[in-house]
Amino acid sequence: MSADLPFEKPLDDLRKKIDHLRQVGVDQQIDFSEELAKLEERYKQLEDEIYSQLSAAQIMHVARLHQRPTSLDYIQLIFTDFIELHGDRLFGDDLAIVGGLAKLNGVPITIVGHQRGKDTKDNIQRFFGSPHPEGFRKALRLMQQASKFGRPIVTFIDTKGAYPGDTAEARGQSEAIARNLREMALLRVPVVCVVIGEGGSGGALALGVGNRVLMLENAIYSVISPNGAASILWKDASKADVAAEAMKITARDLKGFGIIEEIIPEPKGGAHRDPAAQAESIREALWRHLQELSAMSPEQLIDDRYEKFRRIGEFDVAKTEEIRTAAVE
């Protein structure tokens, strides 16, 4: 293991010590089994301590790791018979959005997701996972096709936000996002959304209007990226860690607010440590929710989706007399 993040350095140092002692034992034919057992036990304890109490800023950095599995990785691991479809039939094909047809346990599904690149060249082609309007329109085309033919929809959310350049604005970025929000609310099939990494701003919300919204344990989801919030509040994007702590962007926070329905656990250290195990956890959650939703009629699905989002942000207002009584007491 190599320390990907600063808070993982103690684990990395201890692992190097264990490996060095094991190698010395082999080279010099000395039995260090007792010492190694103690060190391994200490490693497990330290691992539990670190990953059980990650701060929001630390979770943000885990969510942004380039090693984390992408939408296409999960599609290959979870579904069968995947056929990727391209283009919005209006302008072109945006590689920051991938989608197509596949099967989940033999059931036809439509999948749409943000797609980051695996290296610099790939990231440039995919705009680092930040879609242009044609990407959102491609996503909507596939989802409306799914609604027409009665296929459930699964979306994978993983973007810092919609592409912020003038080319996107010239082609109608805000209109494309707004249209997705409206049209997804009216889809007549089950829609399950999974935040697999960073879900940022309107670029994430454009794929996020589902009957069920799930999040991986170390994913984040917010109306603006912590960097963007820091730039606005303090004119300093480097204060993203401070913003992350204040914004309540973790899966635990959002589950408490009722914004998401379920937190999908990750392998120790993050999804990138064991993509196959992570994919299996996502598969189980998707199948469970889709089975539940498939029992609903199209009208019930639309009502269910409407009620889900109407509940977000509910609060109680104390009556004037109650406030006076509390003040006296």
Side-chain angles (χ1 to χ4, degrees):
M1 169 185 170
S2 177
D4 297 310
L5 298 167
F7 65 83
E8 294 179 318
K9 191 175 186 306
L11 280 173
D12 190 46
D13 291 342
L14 185 53
R15 175 52 61 192
K16 288 177 180 177
K17 184 176 181 179
I18 293 170
D19 292 342
H20 176 70
L21 186 60
R22 183 176 287 114
Q23 188 60 48
V24 170
V26 172
D27 294 342
Q28 300 184 15
Q29 297 184 343
I30 301 174
D31 183 10
F32 288 123
S33 57
E34 187 174 342
E35 291 82 355
L36 286 169
K38 291 179 180 179
L39 288 173
E40 288 288 0
E41 181 62 28
R42 173 56 187 150
Y43 184 90
K44 290 179 181 178
Q45 292 175 351
L46 184 59
E47 193 176 44
D48 289 338
E49 290 172 9
I50 289 175
Y51 293 121
S52 65
Q53 52 188 6
L54 293 180
S55 67
Q58 289 170 334
I59 290 174
M60 175 184 72
H61 292 298
V62 174
R64 290 176 169 178
L65 279 174
H66 73 274
Q67 299 99 320
R68 278 180 77 86
T70 65
S71 293
L72 284 176
D73 292 327
Y74 286 127
I75 288 171
Q76 296 300 326
L77 289 167
I78 295 172
F79 304 93
T80 59
D81 304 309
F82 176 60
I83 301 173
E84 186 174 357
L85 301 177
H86 298 272
D88 67 342
R89 302 298 187 266
L90 291 169
F91 181 84
D93 187 32
D94 186 350
L95 298 181
I97 294 282
V98 295
L101 312 178
K103 290 182 179 178
L104 177 63
N105 294 339
V107 176
I109 300 283
T110 288
I111 312 164
V112 179
H114 300 100
Q115 181 62 31
R116 296 177 287 106
K118 290 288 191 179
D119 51 37
T120 301
K121 180 180 178 181
D122 195 21
N123 261 320
I124 291 172
Q125 291 178 330
R126 297 186 185 277
F127 303 104
F128 292 84
S130 295
H132 280 68
E134 54 269 25
F136 297 122
R137 290 170 181 141
K138 172 169 69 171
L140 181 58
R141 178 176 75 84
L142 297 181
M143 290 188 284
Q144 288 177 329
Q145 181 195 75
S147 187
K148 177 180 179 179
F149 292 103
R151 289 191 299 269
I153 297 167
V154 171
T155 71
F156 289 130
I157 297 171
D158 187 18
T159 182
K160 285 182 169 60
Y163 188 75
D166 56 357
T167 54
E169 294 299 328
R171 297 202 284 271
Q173 186 75 288
S174 59
E175 187 277 339
I177 293 172
R179 184 179 295 273
N180 274 32
L181 298 178
R182 185 187 70 181
E183 297 300 325
M184 284 190 76
L186 300 174
L187 292 169
R188 297 171 61 81
V189 293
V191 183
V192 179
C193 311
V194 187
V195 185
I196 61 174
E198 179 172 11
S201 193
L205 295 176
L207 299 189
V209 184
N211 297 89
R212 302 291 183 269
V213 179
L214 320 179
M215 281 182 72
L216 299 195
E217 182 181 0
N218 293 317
I220 60 173
Y221 197 27
S222 59
V223 72
I224 187 173
S225 73
N227 304 70
S231 296
I232 293 171
L233 293 174
W234 301 295
K235 310 300 181 186
D236 185 357
S238 67
K239 292 187 177 180
D241 285 6
V242 180
E245 296 294 342
M247 291 171 63
K248 307 298 182 185
I249 60 176
T250 68
R252 184 172 56 252
D253 292 325
L254 298 176
K255 179 70 163 58
F257 294 143
I259 293 173
I260 67 169
E261 278 67 45
E262 182 176 339
I263 301 172
I264 302 175
E266 295 192 23
K268 196 83 70 174
H272 58 294
R273 302 292 185 197
D274 192 345
Q278 185 65 76
E280 188 56 38
S281 297
I282 296 173
R283 182 208 305 273
E284 186 278 327
L286 285 175
W287 184 244
R288 178 163 31 85
H289 285 285
L290 286 173
Q291 282 187 306
E292 177 186 335
L293 293 170
S294 294
M296 298 183 185
S297 68
E299 291 73 22
Q300 288 173 324
L301 287 167
I302 293 172
D303 289 343
D304 174 79
R305 208 174 299 130
Y306 174 83
E307 291 300 329
K308 168 189 165 53
F309 285 92
R310 288 291 293 176
R311 286 193 298 269
I312 294 174
E314 283 185 355
F315 59 93
D316 294 324
V317 178
K319 296 178 181 178
T320 304
E321 190 58 38
E322 292 175 349
I323 294 174
R324 287 174 180 164
T325 302
V328 171
E329 294 175 352

